[in-house]
Amino acid sequence: MPAPLVILLALVAVVAGLNPNRSQFSWFLQLRRPAWLTFERWIPLIWITIYACFYASALLAWNASWSLPLLAGYLLLLVLVQSYTWLICRTRRLANGTAVGFAGWAWGVALAVIVLGSSGNAALLLLPYLLWSPVGTLVTWQMQRLNR
């Protein structure tokens, strides 16, 4: 099976497998958000863009290095990122989301540094996530204070 298809199937499997069910997600949607979060309707589009960048970055990194451990690093990042909402909804604890959000960002920085050695473009494609992740973590941290 060609690498682009394997990477895409892995991405789809992780996203589909780590999605909260409807009742869990409806609980999440009912939580209060910070007043400054006026762009919430754009968040799905932001995440679609980030996942497209993950895909392109992983593909570029694979083509540059043919490294399975490097692709495992992308898989770990994807699991951390996708488990954010799933973990919050499953445990009903926003603090869990803050922790996994920070862990994902830290691993994303490490992965970008590692990938930079073989493909600068692959590292650049991780930037949208690295810029967005602190915003999401901040929102979650502030939501903790609003939803005690």
Side-chain angles (χ1 to χ4, degrees):
M1 194 176 305
L5 188 56
V6 171
I7 293 169
L8 182 61
L9 289 175
L11 191 144
V12 169
V14 169
V15 169
L18 289 176
N19 245 337
N21 66 37
R22 280 184 198 218
S23 66
Q24 292 167 341
F25 195 63
S26 66
W27 168 83
F28 180 74
L29 291 176
Q30 293 173 4
L31 297 174
R32 288 182 288 157
R33 274 117 171 104
W36 58 266
L37 185 61
T38 58
F39 52 89
E40 189 169 15
R41 65 188 169 118
W42 295 104
I43 292 175
L45 181 61
I46 291 167
W47 277 110
I48 289 169
T49 302
I50 287 170
Y51 283 136
C53 288
F54 277 0
Y55 173 75
S57 178
L59 192 56
L60 287 172
W62 171 254
N63 288 335
S65 69
W66 290 57
S67 169
L68 285 175
L70 189 59
L71 282 188
Y74 276 94
L75 183 60
L76 175 59
L77 179 60
L78 184 59
V79 167
L80 285 169
V81 168
Q82 189 61 26
S83 65
Y84 165 84
T85 304
W86 178 83
L87 188 61
I88 289 173
C89 292
R90 288 289 298 243
T91 64
R92 293 189 176 209
R93 292 191 43 134
L94 290 164
N96 292 339
T98 303
V100 80
F102 178 74
W105 179 82
W107 179 247
V109 169
L111 185 62
V113 169
I114 293 166
V115 168
L116 188 59
S118 59
S119 174
N121 287 334
L124 280 175
L125 283 166
L126 292 173
L127 266 179
Y129 168 70
L130 295 176
L131 295 172
W132 174 253
S133 180
V135 175
T137 303
L138 175 65
V139 168
T140 309
W141 179 73
Q142 288 194 348
M143 284 174 66
Q144 285 177 60
R145 296 172 52 213
L146 296 171
N147 296 280
R148 293 191 182 248

